[in-house]
Amino acid sequence: MIAEERMFEDRPALASALAQDVAGELAAAIATHGAAVLAVSGGSTPKLFFAALSEAAVDWPKVRVTLVDERQAPESSERSNARLVRAHLLQGKAAAATFVPLYLNPAAAALPGFDVAVLGMGNDGHTASFFPGGDRLAEALTPLNGERLIEIAAPGAGEPRLTFTLPALEQARSLKLHIEGQDKRQVLARALGPGPVEEMPVRALLRGSKPITLYWCP
């Protein structure tokens, strides 16, 4: 459920505002319970946001950073989301945060609930690693045994993946969807319309009861 839409004139303005909002929520979580957990997405879209957030005035030693999803690939691979996060977010002030990667790290499933989760969306209507045709898509959306982190593969996903499940993401105190460009806006418009979740799995998120804040720029 998109509860709020925030629209910006360009990518730098969006990155700055999103970083400011996330930093404020992390600071509030630290003030409330002494620590914070942030889950972020990979891809090229969040790079400017990561750079802006890395310099935010947050008590970073009290923050754990993880990924919404990850390819089953080592950090030596250019397709590794962990590599992207280390290069663009865990820099400057944010270098003091604790990073919890997903690949070959089963302990990631035991992370406490996220204070902030920032999701993206692909042109095929996927979010996290909820891809059309995913071999465990139904389990990712409705885990059989309350699983928070599962393995999944899909024709359009490249490598097999690891992803936090929909219930794990919806337990985040703050859920944000970050998309850019007119093409993604059109994809979102389709996803908000009628049609099966299997066709555009982001619909499972959009049709849920968890409020989502949308950040978008042309």
Side-chain angles (χ1 to χ4, degrees):
M1 174 183 66
I2 294 180
E4 180 183 359
E5 294 191 22
R6 301 200 62 194
M7 290 171 276
F8 303 89
E9 62 180 16
D10 55 31
R11 295 181 66 219
L14 187 160
S16 177
L18 179 55
Q20 182 176 354
D21 290 352
V22 170
E25 291 170 342
L26 294 177
I30 292 168
T32 300
H33 49 89
V37 181
L38 168 65
V40 297
S41 299
S44 59
T45 299
K47 287 182 180 179
L48 284 180
F49 157 58
F50 287 169
L53 183 59
S54 72
E55 294 302 326
V58 174
D59 193 353
W60 286 106
K62 296 179 180 177
V63 178
R64 278 177 287 182
V65 177
T66 193
L67 290 155
V68 167
D69 67 321
E70 176 62 288
R71 297 176 176 92
Q72 295 263 35
E75 290 187 31
S76 58
S77 169
E78 292 185 357
R79 289 174 57 77
S80 166
N81 286 339
R83 176 173 174 158
L84 178 84
V85 167
R86 289 192 192 277
H88 296 277
L89 175 56
L90 301 176
Q91 300 290 324
K93 296 175 182 176
T98 297
F99 183 48
V100 183
L102 304 187
Y103 180 61
L104 297 181
N105 185 22
L111 274 169
F114 308 136
D115 292 289
V116 186
V118 184
L119 298 167
M121 182 189 68
N123 286 326
D124 59 356
H126 85 267
T127 191
S129 283
F130 310 153
F131 280 85
D135 62 350
R136 298 182 68 193
L137 179 60
E139 292 176 65
L141 302 181
T142 309
L144 297 177
N145 300 305
E147 293 171 290
R148 300 185 72 241
L149 185 65
I150 69 169
E151 297 181 0
I152 190 168
E159 303 90 337
R161 303 243 184 163
L162 293 159
T163 188
F164 277 98
T165 60
L166 180 63
L169 295 176
E170 290 185 326
Q171 287 169 3
R173 291 181 174 86
S174 175
L175 197 55
K176 303 181 185 300
L177 180 62
H178 173 193
I179 62 173
E180 298 178 353
Q182 295 292 349
D183 288 349
K184 290 284 182 74
R185 187 74 198 201
Q186 291 173 9
V187 172
L188 180 63
R190 283 180 51 218
L192 289 168
V197 166
E198 294 76 14
E199 178 189 54
M200 302 182 76
V202 71
R203 285 175 172 151
L205 194 75
L206 299 173
R207 293 173 181 175
S209 59
K210 178 70 180 183
I212 302 167
T213 303
L214 172 67
Y215 292 75
W216 175 79
C217 68

